[in-house]
Amino acid sequence: MADIIQLLPDHVANQIAAGEVVQRPASVVKELLENAIDAESTSIKLIVKDAGKTLIQVIDDGKGMSTTDARLSFERHATSKIRSAEDLFSINTKGFRGEALASIAAIAHVELKTKQEQNELGTQIEIEGSDIKSQEVVVTPKGTSVAVKHLFYNIPARRNFLKSDTVELRHIIDEFHRVALAHPDISFMMYHNGSENFNLPKSNYRQRVVNIFGTKTNEKLVPVEEETEVLKISGFVGKPEFSRKTKTEQFFFVNNRFIKSAYLNHAINSAFEGLIKEGSHPSYFLNLTVDPKTIDINIHPTKTEIKFDDEHTLYAILRSSVKHSLGQFNIAPVLDFERDKNLDTPYNFEGKHVSNPTVEVDRSFNPFQEERLSGKSGGFSMPYKKEAAAQWESLYVGLESKGTKTTQEFSEIQVESQHESQSLFNEKHAIESTQTTYQLHNKYIISTIKSGMLIIDQHRAHQRILYESLLKHTMIKEAVSQQLLFPLQLQFSSSEMELLKQLKEDLEHTGFVFSKFEDSEIEITGVPVNVPESEVSIILEQLISDVEQEVPDSNFSSTDLLAKSLSKSLAIKTGHTLTNMEQEHLVNSLFACKEPSVSPTNRTTFITMSVDDFDKKFM
Ligand code: ADP
Ligand code: MG
C-alpha cells in the first residue's frame, strides 16, 4: 500500500495556526500592540477602521527590524525573543512563540514598514495570505508600522462569524485598555474611523487609570503597595462605595501581563467583605510582580490564565494588603441604601402610642419649602421637604402639574381595578380625621380605613407608583426632564454599551437626555425630574445589571424592564422617614394605580386588618 502521509504546505499550516491565535480583530490588536511594546517603543498608535474588519494598524517608534528580520518575521516560529528552552523560564517579553505575524499574514493582507534607527532607509513588505507580493526599500521613520487589512478575507466562515462592529470594537478597546494599563510609561493613542478614541500620554499609574476611566475615577482610588520576598503589589482598589454592579473595572497584571484569576479575585472580594453590598463588585487595578521562574505563562496564546507556584501565599498577601489599605485610608462601611432599619428607629414603638409632633416642627424649618411652593405655577401645593422627597415624589410631578386632581385623573384611566381602588379610597375618605397615616419602623405606613386598618410596605408601594408612572411616560413619550448644569460623562464597557443602546430610546422617554452615546462613553445633559445627578450612574448600573440578569440574550421588553429597574432604584427605601404629608401622598398615589396590590415584581404592597380580625385576637 502506498504511503499516504504528507507534510502540509506552509500556508495551510499557517492558516490552521492562525485559527488559534486570531479569533477576532481584537486578537490582532493584542499581538501587534505587544510586539510594539517588546520593541521598546515609547509611543504607540493604534488605528482601526470598521471595528478592525477593514483595517488594524499599529505604528510604533521602537527598534525596528533589519531587512532580513523583516522578511523572517513572517515565518512561523521565527522570534528574536527566546533562543533556547531555558529562556522559557525567564520570559520578560510579551511574545516568544514567533507565531503571531505568520498567522496574521496567512489570513489577511499585511503591509509592514520598518526601519532601524542607524539606517537611512527602511523596508516595506506586502503579504497576502502568506504570499509575499512585494518588498521594497522605503523612506520611513524609525520604528515599525504593521497594517492588517481585510482580516479573514480568505476564510469567509470566520468573517461571517464576527459580531457587530460595536461588539468587535469593544473587544478591541478592552485589549487596548489592558495593554495601556500595563504600560503607563508608554504613550498610547487610538483612532477609530478617523476619530480619536484615546490619547494617553506617558504618565504615572494613577493618571493612566484616570485617563482611561475618566476624571471621576480619581477620587475613588485607594493605593495598595506591598513588597515581600515573593511578591510585590502596587496599584489601586476602588473605595467600597464606588463598587459596581459589573466586573468591568477589575484588572490584574502579573509582570505587566493582563491575567484573569478567579482565585486572586476571590482574595480581593474577601478583603472587601462587609464593606460592599452583595452583588456589587470592587474595582481594582493591581500589578503583581513575581519572579518569572515561579509562574507558568507558557500556555495557550490567547488565554489569560496563569499558573503560580504558590497561590496560597499570594492569596494571603494580596488579601491582607488590600485590607490594610482600606483600613489605612479610613474606608468605613457605606451602606446607606439598605441600612438596618433599627438604626433609624429612634425608640421602640412597640406598645406605645404613635404620634408625630416632631414632624410638624421639622416642616416649618424646611428651607426649601418656599422656593418649592413659589416655583409651582398651578395648584400643586404639597409642601414636601425637598431633601426627603426629592428622589422620588417628583417623578410624577409631571402628571400632577396639570392640576391637583391626580386621583381623579388616574381613576378615569384605570378601568380594570376601579372597583377595588374606589372602594378602598372611599373607605379611607370616609374617615376624615386630622391624621390618618402613621409610619411604623420607617418601613410600613399604617392607614385607618372604615373596616379597620391598612398596612403598606412603603418601598414596594412606591415602586408600584413609580413603575406605572414610568410606563405611562414611556408609552406616551412625554418625558419631564431637568437640565443638568454640567453634562455628566459616564464610561461603560462594550457589553454595557450594547445594552444601553437598546434602552436608549426608552430612557429618553423617561426624561434622560443624551448628548453623546458612542464608543464607551455616554454624556447626559438631562435627567428625569429630580433624579439626583449623583445617583444617575448607580441607577444606570443597576439597570444594566438587572437587564443582564434577566435576559442573557437580546430580545426583551426593554420598556418594562427599564420601568422595573428604575422604579426599584428610585423608590424610597425601607428606613426612610416620611412626613405625614408624604405618607398620605404615597397612600393616595398607590390607590390611584392600576394594580395597587402588588409591586412591579409581584410582591404584596399592602395588607388589611379588619376590626373583626382584631376582635378575634382580643377574645
Ligand atoms: P513573537 O512576538 O512571539 O516573537 P511575532 O510573530 O509576534 O512573534 O513576531 C516575530 C518577530 O518579529 C519578533 O520576535 C520580533 O523580532 C519581530 N517584530 C515583530 N513586530 C515588531 C515590531 N513592532 N518592532 C520590532 N520587531 C518586531
Ligand atoms: Mg508577538
Side-chain angles (χ1 to χ4, degrees):
M1 198 163 147
D3 300 331
I4 51 169
I5 296 181
Q6 291 187 352
L7 282 179
L8 286 175
D10 265 359
H11 71 274
V12 179
N14 282 342
Q15 251 193 40
I16 294 170
E20 290 199 20
V21 181
V22 184
Q23 284 154 348
R24 52 176 11 129
S27 330
V28 174
V29 169
K30 174 173 184 273
E31 294 297 338
L32 296 186
L33 288 177
E34 290 188 347
N35 279 348
I37 289 165
D38 286 343
E40 291 159 19
S41 310
T42 62
S43 168
I44 298 174
K45 205 185 278 181
L46 168 66
I47 300 167
V48 176
K49 287 210 175 104
D50 304 321
K53 293 170 186 171
T54 310
L55 172 75
I56 300 163
Q57 184 174 16
V58 170
I59 304 170
D60 68 46
D61 63 352
K63 58 187 177 194
M65 285 178 262
S66 70
T67 305
T68 319
D69 282 354
R71 188 76 182 241
L72 258 180
S73 69
F74 291 104
E75 295 293 324
R76 210 138 58 92
H77 307 304
T79 180
S80 56
K81 297 168 194 175
I82 55 170
R83 305 205 168 263
S84 67
E86 276 103 78
D87 291 349
L88 274 175
F89 298 101
S90 53
I91 286 169
N92 50 21
T93 54
K94 308 273 165 185
F96 55 85
R97 291 180 190 80
E99 274 179 334
L101 285 185
S103 298
I104 294 167
I107 51 167
H109 296 186
V110 178
E111 185 192 287
L112 168 82
K113 279 190 209 173
T114 187
K115 183 181 94 72
Q116 293 177 305
E117 183 152 40
Q118 67 273 20
N119 295 340
E120 276 295 277
L121 294 166
T123 311
Q124 174 172 333
I125 295 178
E126 282 177 11
I127 299 193
E128 289 177 14
S130 303
D131 289 338
I132 305 230
K133 293 284 165 188
S134 72
Q135 177 171 342
E136 281 159 34
V137 174
V138 286
V139 179
T140 181
K142 171 208 172 201
T144 304
S145 154
V146 182
V148 177
K149 295 173 194 165
H150 313 301
L151 185 65
F152 297 132
Y153 80 100
N154 51 358
I155 318 179
R158 263 298 164 97
R159 209 177 156 83
N160 296 336
F161 186 69
L162 292 177
K163 298 270 166 39
S164 70
D165 279 11
T166 326
V167 172
E168 294 301 340
L169 179 65
R170 193 58 235 183
H171 284 287
I172 290 177
I173 291 175
D174 282 348
E175 290 297 349
F176 180 80
H177 281 173
R178 292 167 183 179
V179 173
L181 276 174
H183 299 277
D185 52 331
I186 299 176
S187 92
F188 286 92
M189 287 203 250
M190 173 173 168
Y191 299 85
H192 182 239
N193 289 344
S195 59
E196 182 184 282
N197 286 43
F198 292 96
N199 185 347
L200 310 172
K202 170 180 155 70
S203 63
N204 64 28
Y205 193 49
R206 178 185 278 270
Q207 283 163 338
R208 178 55 54 93
V209 173
V210 169
N211 283 337
I212 292 178
F213 294 100
T215 30
K216 251 182 75 188
T217 319
N218 195 23
E219 55 177 306
K220 77 178 190 190
L221 299 179
V222 179
V224 180
E225 299 289 340
E226 184 69 72
E227 191 158 1
T228 71
E229 264 170 39
V230 289
L231 169 70
K232 181 170 174 270
I233 305 173
S234 73
F236 303 96
V237 293
K239 290 180 187 165
E241 65 264 39
F242 291 98
S243 64
R244 297 166 65 92
K245 296 282 175 198
T246 57
K247 300 182 183 178
T248 45
E249 287 187 2
Q250 303 192 328
F251 295 89
F252 274 125
F253 299 92
V254 172
N255 298 354
N256 294 332
R257 187 187 293 269
F258 173 81
I259 61 133
K260 282 184 183 152
S261 163
Y263 187 65
L264 295 185
N265 179 60
H266 191 272
I268 310 261
N269 283 338
S270 80
F272 272 86
E273 210 167 78
L275 294 176
I276 57 177
K277 269 203 301 178
E278 210 172 304
S280 294
H281 306 282
S283 302
Y284 54 81
F285 312 88
L286 293 171
N287 302 296
L288 315 185
T289 313
V290 297
D291 184 342
K293 286 193 190 69
T294 66
I295 52 172
D296 182 5
I297 47 171
N298 190 12
I299 43 172
H300 196 274
T302 58
K303 291 266 164 65
T304 44
E305 282 84 18
I306 195 169
K307 285 218 297 265
F308 296 97
D309 278 359
D310 187 2
E311 270 195 334
H312 295 302
T313 312
L314 298 195
Y315 184 101
I317 298 173
L318 191 59
R319 179 169 182 268
S320 76
S321 347
V322 171
K323 271 198 140 166
H324 179 72
S325 293
L326 290 174
Q328 202 177 21
F329 288 87
N330 250 338
I331 314 297
V334 182
L335 289 172
D336 265 340
F337 292 113
E338 255 142 34
R339 255 146 86 184
D340 183 350
K341 60 179 183 295
N342 297 317
L343 296 177
D344 293 294
T345 310
Y347 57 87
N348 191 356
F349 278 101
E350 264 174 54
K352 296 198 179 169
H353 174 69
V354 185
S355 63
N356 65 337
T358 45
V359 177
E360 292 293 326
V361 176
D362 262 5
R363 209 179 297 137
S364 63
F365 281 99
N366 179 358
F368 298 102
Q369 186 172 339
E370 236 175 28
E371 171 201 304
R372 221 185 145 77
L373 281 173
S374 58
K376 283 274 163 252
S377 52
F380 181 68
S381 58
M382 293 253 197
Y384 289 123
K385 250 175 99 179
K386 185 172 182 180
E387 137 197 59
Q391 304 180 14
W392 58 274
E393 46 79 13
S394 52
L395 262 186
Y396 40 81
V397 158
L399 295 175
E400 290 159 339
S401 58
K402 292 166 199 139
T404 46
K405 302 174 293 182
T406 324
T407 37
Q408 281 88 331
E409 270 174 25
F410 259 114
S411 54
E412 274 162 31
I413 306 167
Q414 41 177 270
V415 188
E416 297 153 51
S417 61
Q418 197 159 26
H419 179 70
E420 186 194 6
S421 40
Q422 249 357 60
S423 70
L424 275 165
F425 226 62
N426 291 339
E427 278 166 353
K428 189 189 166 296
H429 277 259
I431 305 174
E432 278 289 315
S433 64
T434 39
Q435 190 184 350
T436 53
T437 60
Y438 304 91
Q439 198 182 15
L440 187 65
H441 278 226
N442 291 331
K443 180 173 187 187
Y444 295 110
I445 295 168
I446 315 270
S447 180
T448 49
I449 50 172
K450 203 160 124 198
S451 66
M453 73 181 201
L454 196 64
I455 304 163
I456 299 169
D457 181 310
Q458 66 185 41
H459 177 62
R460 292 184 192 172
H462 195 222
Q463 272 189 46
R464 162 57 58 184
I465 297 164
L466 293 175
Y467 173 72
E468 291 198 5
S469 150
L470 282 163
L471 273 189
K472 193 180 169 211
H473 280 313
T474 331
M475 300 293 183
I476 60 176
K477 309 191 183 344
E478 182 203 81
V480 192
S481 119
Q482 66 183 7
Q483 187 93 25
L484 295 178
L485 209 49
F486 301 104
L488 183 67
Q489 275 119 3
L490 298 173
Q491 253 96 27
F492 293 96
S493 75
S494 68
S495 48
E496 292 172 337
M497 282 301 284
E498 274 297 292
L499 287 178
L500 285 174
K501 278 208 176 110
Q502 300 180 52
L503 296 166
K504 181 172 181 240
E505 209 177 310
D506 284 333
L507 281 167
E508 284 167 347
H509 293 147
T510 65
F512 282 95
V513 182
F514 302 101
S515 52
K516 187 177 169 213
F517 210 103
E518 56 201 27
D519 306 330
S520 58
E521 190 173 89
I522 63 177
E523 193 176 81
I524 301 174
T525 52
V527 295
V529 170
N530 278 13
V531 165
E533 186 178 339
S534 58
E535 296 205 2
V536 171
S537 68
I538 300 172
I539 289 168
L540 290 182
E541 273 184 30
Q542 178 67 53
L543 176 64
I544 290 166
S545 135
D546 284 346
V547 174
E548 275 172 350
Q549 269 157 30
E550 199 106 338
V551 268
D553 56 321
S554 56
N555 284 328
F556 56 92
S557 156
S558 53
T559 314
D560 188 63
L561 256 173
L562 178 83
K564 272 188 189 148
S565 175
L566 286 190
S567 62
K568 187 170 71 187
S569 296
L570 292 171
I572 43 158
K573 306 287 186 285
T574 294
H576 194 108
T577 315
L578 297 176
T579 66
N580 226 33
M581 206 67 108
E582 288 165 352
Q583 295 167 26
E584 270 172 36
H585 191 76
L586 191 81
V587 177
N588 289 348
S589 308
L590 177 66
F591 291 107
C593 285
K594 290 187 184 177
E595 276 187 70
S597 58
V598 287
S599 76
T601 47
N602 256 329
R603 325 258 307 257
T604 307
T605 50
F606 69 86
I607 55 167
T608 52
M609 297 269 278
S610 68
V611 177
D612 282 351
D613 294 335
F614 287 119
D615 287 345
K616 276 186 204 131
K617 289 209 186 283
F618 281 102
M619 283 222 291

